């Protein structure tokens, strides 16, 4: 299964990817997690990415396309993968096509801007491995640390002003991708405004992995 998770920031792409990766038995490739790891490691890529991420802007296409192509060429992606946060522009979607990477399905997680703004305020993330948490929906373990032992933090780009920028960027630059894949008959849309479990159930049904209720 070669799956793209599409949706605005805070739609639950990372959270669903974490569950689906185990259910489908394929790796998740998250550009956000990769870019934040590069920022943490202080690499050239990380320094460049920081300039955009801190303002809620998109990192240039050629940079992101380069790291995704490199990652997808590795052995553990041979039998499938889940893309979380990529593609985010039509040019990125076209780059996948040009590289001969055929996507099976695009799962579009639908949620209103209002719900997103509320959700992102409570969102937390492991600084070390990127596992997502939420103060209400998915609390951090009792010792305050991630399951990997890493420190759990609030992402600096989850502040109100940056969230608004990210939503604007999403509507202007990322949402058109939906039509791009719709015209190829790849899109399945699910409501992602409820619990993690309910969204996951909807995802599995939409992907034909559990029987539809009669
Ligand atoms: P995310 O963790 O997916 O919300 O991504 C956080 C930030 O990383 C975004 O706001 C962008 O600045 C950057 N980013 C992640 N994925 C991409 C992408 N595919 N293209 C451009 N920028 C990206």
């Amino acid at each position: 299964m070669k799956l793209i998770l599409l949706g605005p920031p805070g739609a639950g792409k990372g959270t669903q990817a974490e569950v689906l990766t185990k259910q489908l038995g394929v790796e998740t490739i998250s550009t956000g997690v990769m870019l934040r790891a590069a920022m943490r490691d202080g690499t050239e890529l990380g320094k460049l990415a920081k300039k955009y991420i801190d303002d809620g802007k998109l990192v240039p296409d050629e940079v992101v396309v380069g790291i995704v192509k490199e990652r997808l060429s590795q052995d553990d992606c041979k039998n499938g993968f889940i893309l979380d946060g990529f593609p985010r522009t039509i040019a990125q979607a076209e780059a996948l096509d040009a590289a001969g990477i055929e996507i099976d399905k695009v799962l579009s997680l639908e949620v209103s801007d209002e719900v997103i703004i509320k959700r992102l305020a409570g969102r937390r993330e492991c600084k070390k491995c990127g596992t997502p948490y939420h103060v209400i929906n998915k609390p951090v373990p009792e010792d305050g640390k991630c399951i990997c032992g890493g420190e759990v933090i609030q992402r600096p780009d989850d502040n109100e002003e940056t969230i608004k920028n990210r939503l604007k960027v999403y509507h202007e630059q990322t949402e058109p991708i939906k039509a791009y894949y719709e015209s190829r008959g790849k899109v399945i849309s699910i409501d992602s405004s409820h619990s993690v479990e309910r969204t996951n159930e909807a995802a599995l049904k939409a992907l034909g992995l559990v029987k539809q209720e009669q």
Side-chain angles (χ1 to χ4, degrees):
M1 169 72 78
K2 293 176 179 157
L3 178 69
I4 289 174
L5 294 182
L6 185 66
K13 299 187 297 295
T15 305
Q16 289 304 320
E18 198 196 352
V19 190
L20 285 169
T21 218
K22 294 182 194 132
Q23 292 166 329
L24 303 180
V26 292
E27 291 291 317
T28 289
I29 314 304
S30 163
T31 41
V33 169
M34 288 197 283
L35 294 169
R36 282 188 291 281
M39 276 162 58
R40 198 178 53 236
D41 295 344
T43 63
E44 286 307 310
L45 168 68
K47 283 180 207 154
L48 179 111
K50 187 172 165 40
K51 291 188 207 150
Y52 299 91
I53 293 180
D54 283 354
D55 285 344
K57 292 185 185 145
L58 293 184
V59 175
D61 288 331
E62 61 276 16
V63 176
V64 190
V65 165
I67 59 170
V68 171
K69 278 214 279 199
E70 205 275 322
R71 181 65 188 87
L72 292 183
S73 70
Q74 292 172 14
D75 274 356
D76 59 352
C77 292
K78 251 195 286 186
N79 296 325
F81 49 78
I82 298 170
L83 285 175
D84 160 21
F86 183 96
R88 247 180 165 102
T89 60
I90 297 276
Q92 292 179 14
E94 286 172 347
L96 280 181
D97 288 345
I101 300 164
E102 174 84 11
I103 298 301
D104 297 312
K105 294 264 180 256
V106 176
L107 188 65
S108 173
L109 305 184
E110 310 279 330
V111 52
S112 69
D113 286 6
E114 254 179 304
V115 172
I116 286 167
I117 291 166
K118 277 192 205 137
R119 252 189 209 173
L120 290 184
R123 180 156 88 165
R124 302 290 181 272
E125 184 180 278
C126 172
K127 208 174 164 185
K128 198 167 151 206
C129 73
T131 295
Y133 292 94
H134 191 278
V135 288
I136 296 164
N137 305 332
K138 192 185 169 207
V140 179
E142 264 176 31
D143 61 359
K145 291 232 164 23
C146 176
I147 39 168
C148 80
E151 186 192 350
V152 177
I153 56 149
Q154 179 165 34
R155 279 170 46 174
D157 61 342
D158 273 349
N159 68 73
E160 206 179 319
E161 199 187 328
T162 314
I163 289 170
K164 283 190 186 144
N165 272 344
R166 287 162 65 205
L167 276 172
K168 187 167 175 276
V169 166
Y170 174 77
H171 291 304
E172 286 172 4
Q173 299 191 54
T174 307
E175 221 168 11
I177 291 180
K178 207 174 151 189
Y180 179 90
Y181 285 113
E182 258 163 4
S183 69
R184 290 160 175 76
K186 308 255 183 203
V187 178
I188 33 180
S189 300
I190 58 165
D191 181 359
S192 187
S193 55
H194 303 289
S195 67
V196 175
E197 293 75 20
R198 203 161 140 187
T199 305
N200 179 242
E201 242 170 69
L204 292 177
K205 273 187 200 160
L207 293 169
L209 298 173
V210 289
K211 274 200 196 138
Q212 301 276 350
E213 274 158 35
Q214 297 296 320

